[in-house]
Amino acid sequence: MTKPVIGFIGLGLMGSAMVERFQEKGYALVVMANHSRTNVDAAVSRGATEVFSAREVAENSDVVMLCMGTSEQVESRMRGDEGVIAGLKSGAIVIDFGTSLPESTRTLAAEVAAAGGDYLDAPLGRTPAHAKQGLLNIMTAGNEDAFKRVKPVLQEVGENVFYLGGSGAGHTIKLFNNFIAMTTANMVSEVFALSDVAKIPRQTVYDVLSVGPANSGIMDFIKAYAVDGNPEVLEFSIKNAAKDVGYYKKMAEDAGVTPAIAPSSLAALQAAIDNGQGEDLVPKMVDFYQTSFANSSDKK
């Protein structure tokens, strides 16, 4: 069977890793630059074709993939005279690998369907290193027939490729995942900082908590920085964490409910951003809480 031509928009850390994997597996790639040229130039050096608009990506591809940071960025690439929808081939499949708002996803899915294509939300779990090894978790939703057609392509980069139901279900579950992960990271960071105030060694706190029900992979990620000094075990910025928790909050509000925990988690992340830590990795929330507690103590 002839491999489909893949158009890829968003060659950041994850996107470029996925592109490299697809190229290793023999797929023809069409790419365009977004914020920087480094990863695009690398893809072109391996044989990818560069074009200069999202419309051209769609015109030259059977499957269009987007790996962007926000719903707004996805919408800007999808719509308009130079957007993906304007250049979409009949029967083409568009896949959003980012973490987007489900309502935006459903709206775009309807617009793509009206243009003769199919739109799948397929947010990712795991890291760029896993992408290069074909070991991502992929949470796919949308038209099931389209999913079945593109599943062999997704399996080139994914170890666990899930089909979760109608449009928006993938992004909903991804936001569940990231809300739990980032809120847990906040809690564990605060605990390590408070252990300093309580004059209990962080290692001791970890040794006790890690053998009980509070143990988690997220605890280990935060401990890697709080105790061992390595923040890069969890390569996710505070700015992105705030975006995802904010999306979770909006998703809940769009569904007509008022979330109880998301506002406090979001407030802490936003305070860290306001403190100049937006580009820091999430484990450095320990430093934010440590500073906050010191400031609170000074005022007493």
Side-chain angles (χ1 to χ4, degrees), residues 19 25-26 34 38 44 59 76 95 124-126 128 169 183-184 191 209 236 241 251 256 264 266 283 287:
V19 164
K25 291 297 180 177
N34 190 30
T38 303
V44 170
E59 288 173 341
S76 72
I95 305 173
L124 307 169
R126 297 183 173 170
T183 299
T184 302
V191 164
L209 298 185
F236 200 68
M251 178 179 69
S264 59
L266 180 59
D287 298 339

Side-chain angles (χ1 to χ4, degrees), residues 71 78 81 112 155 177 197 211 263:
S71 286
M78 290 296 297
D81 292 343
V112 169
Q155 288 175 320
N177 178 84
V197 177
V211 295

Side-chain angles (χ1 to χ4, degrees), residues 94-109:
V94 183
I95 305 173
D96 177 11
F97 288 123
T99 302
S100 300
L101 286 164
E103 190 58 38
S104 172
T105 298
R106 287 188 284 269
T107 300
L108 286 173

